[in-house]
Amino acid sequence: MSKIQAAVLGVMKDIATTGIAKLQRNIQQGYSFRGIESAMNELSPLLVKHGITVTPSYSELLVHERFRGDPKDGRAIRFCTLKGTFRFSAEDGSHVVSECYGEAMDSGDKAVTKAQSIAFRTALFQQFVVPTMAMDPESYLDAEDEDIALNSPAPPDELMDAAVNAANAGLEAYKSFWQSATPADRLALATHHAQLKATAQRVTAGGDTDAGQ
């Protein structure tokens, strides 16, 4: 096994324990998604840890504009597609290459940048086979439930204590607690879930606990 293959496998093993949650939300269309920020925030530390560098390049750029309303007004939407080529390299020079297409549109000057981000995000998710099963409130909360959760009272002390104890026992313990919780308990804990999960990750990594603070 080459060094880059071993490094890629190391990243895959690490990200497989947590996945990447849908932390970004499209307000206009009402859905949650995993954006480039989520992908980079989760994977960047793992790439550094396993000694992987990424060199991007882009080609096959196609851009066209579609006017909105009267063309004389100059209001247009720009559509862009491109191919991203991403070279993942280890310190010994061994490497693997991922090619992914990106497509985006924008009414300003960001269509190309958006398409690059989409291609890169796709490459990261495909190269490291990122799980989509992350412990994620959006996996069971719809938009109405989220509003209820944000405006609901604090969870019962007994439930919160159980969640804190599970988080302080590490990621596997918290994952087991979360998966066995009832929908009502998950809804009650939704606004605390991100902090509890982060605490569980730190405990598993050997850090301090702070879920109870």
Side-chain angles (χ1 to χ4, degrees):
M1 180 181 293
S2 68
K3 195 153 190 173
I4 186 58
Q5 290 175 314
V8 168
L9 181 59
V11 174
M12 290 174 63
K13 287 180 178 179
D14 286 346
I15 199 64
T17 64
T18 61
I20 294 180
K22 295 178 181 178
L23 298 178
Q24 296 171 263
R25 189 164 184 83
N26 183 308
I27 303 300
Q28 289 76 21
Q29 298 179 354
Y31 65 88
S32 299
F33 63 98
R34 298 167 176 85
I36 184 62
E37 291 86 358
S38 298
M40 294 180 69
N41 288 341
E42 294 286 347
L43 286 167
S44 180
L46 299 181
L47 295 178
V48 173
K49 172 184 175 182
H50 293 281
I52 299 176
T53 59
V54 187
T55 304
S57 63
Y58 299 92
S59 60
E60 301 182 18
L61 174 64
L62 294 174
V63 178
H64 69 275
E65 292 183 340
R66 183 179 302 166
F67 285 97
R68 296 184 299 172
D70 190 336
K72 295 180 180 178
D73 295 335
R75 293 180 300 174
I77 298 178
R78 179 174 294 179
F79 294 81
C80 169
T81 60
L82 52 75
K83 182 174 78 172
T85 301
F86 306 94
R87 182 184 177 115
F88 297 87
S89 303
E91 60 183 13
D92 67 344
S94 59
H95 66 274
V96 294
V97 175
S98 175
E99 291 185 342
C100 295
Y101 285 87
E103 180 178 14
M105 64 180 183
D106 191 73
S107 58
D109 60 354
K110 298 179 178 61
V112 173
T113 302
K114 287 181 177 180
Q116 289 176 324
S117 296
I118 291 169
F120 187 35
R121 180 194 64 190
T122 303
L124 290 172
F125 274 72
Q126 291 184 351
Q127 183 64 58
F128 300 105
V129 196
V130 176
T132 59
M133 55 65 181
M135 294 184 293
D136 179 3
E138 281 77 3
S139 62
Y140 59 86
L141 296 180
D142 59 25
E144 181 178 357
D145 287 335
E146 287 177 355
D147 291 337
I148 294 173
L150 291 172
N151 293 286
S152 64
D157 290 343
E158 182 178 352
L159 175 62
M160 190 65 194
D161 289 344
V164 169
N165 290 337
N168 287 338
L171 191 60
E172 288 302 317
Y174 183 64
K175 182 185 293 186
S176 177
F177 165 82
W178 187 255
Q179 292 174 342
S180 63
T182 66
D185 286 346
R186 291 181 177 180
L187 185 61
L189 290 167
T191 56
H192 302 275
H193 174 70
Q195 181 184 357
L196 289 163
K197 178 183 171 184
T199 296
Q201 291 173 320
R202 282 194 294 273
V203 170
T204 298
D208 296 331
T209 65
D210 64 358
Q213 297 178 0

